[in-house]
Amino acid sequence: QVQLVESGGGLAQAGGSLRLSCAASGSMFSISTMGWYRQQPGKQRELVATITSGGGTNYADSVKGRFTIARDNAKTTVSLQMNSLKPEDTAVYYCNAYSLLYSRDYWGQGTQVTVSS
């Protein structure tokens, strides 16, 4: 099992910045990719950014150049630096860890990000 705990959400003005962090614990040896997803009311959860154990990153087109995902050397913490925030970035952000070994996803409880115009 893997446990994920997010922190750092909150309220920001358009053009501002927020930083999300996710602390992971448990059977991290099985985790290949970690990332962030978000869900707006009435919409499906969507990918924001992912990072592999080798450091490869992938971003949604809507956040490229504004958001940066990073993972610590111990690979137990993943962060999302969000700059130049827009009102459309408002959503609940979820931390994700994917186990290639067990072919399953793990999710955090989610953290609210609200961007005012």
Side-chain angles (χ1 to χ4, degrees):
Q1 289 292 324
V2 173
Q3 296 77 41
L4 304 172
V5 179
E6 300 111 334
S7 61
L11 178 65
Q13 289 188 333
S17 299
L18 284 173
R19 181 182 177 88
L20 305 182
S21 292
C22 174
S25 60
S27 303
M28 291 301 295
F29 69 91
S30 71
I31 299 302
S32 57
T33 301
M34 296 187 72
W36 292 92
Y37 290 70
R38 66 187 182 188
Q39 188 167 20
Q40 298 168 328
K43 294 187 177 181
Q44 289 189 329
R45 193 171 297 187
E46 63 177 5
L47 179 147
V48 177
T50 60
I51 186 166
T52 68
S53 56
T57 58
N58 181 47
Y59 294 92
D61 288 342
S62 60
V63 307
K64 282 181 181 177
R66 300 188 298 121
F67 291 10
T68 302
I69 190 169
R71 195 168 174 179
D72 70 335
N73 289 336
K75 299 181 176 60
T76 59
T77 302
V78 63
S79 63
L80 185 70
Q81 179 65 42
M82 305 185 293
N83 298 329
S84 302
L85 284 163
K86 303 175 180 180
E88 51 263 44
D89 294 319
T90 296
V92 177
Y93 284 70
Y94 294 91
C95 181
N96 170 271
Y98 176 70
S99 170
L100 187 62
L101 178 64
Y102 300 120
S103 297
R104 65 158 292 176
D105 286 287
Y106 298 91
W107 296 95
Q109 79 283 1
T111 185
Q112 177 70 45
V113 170
T114 302
V115 184
S116 62
S117 57

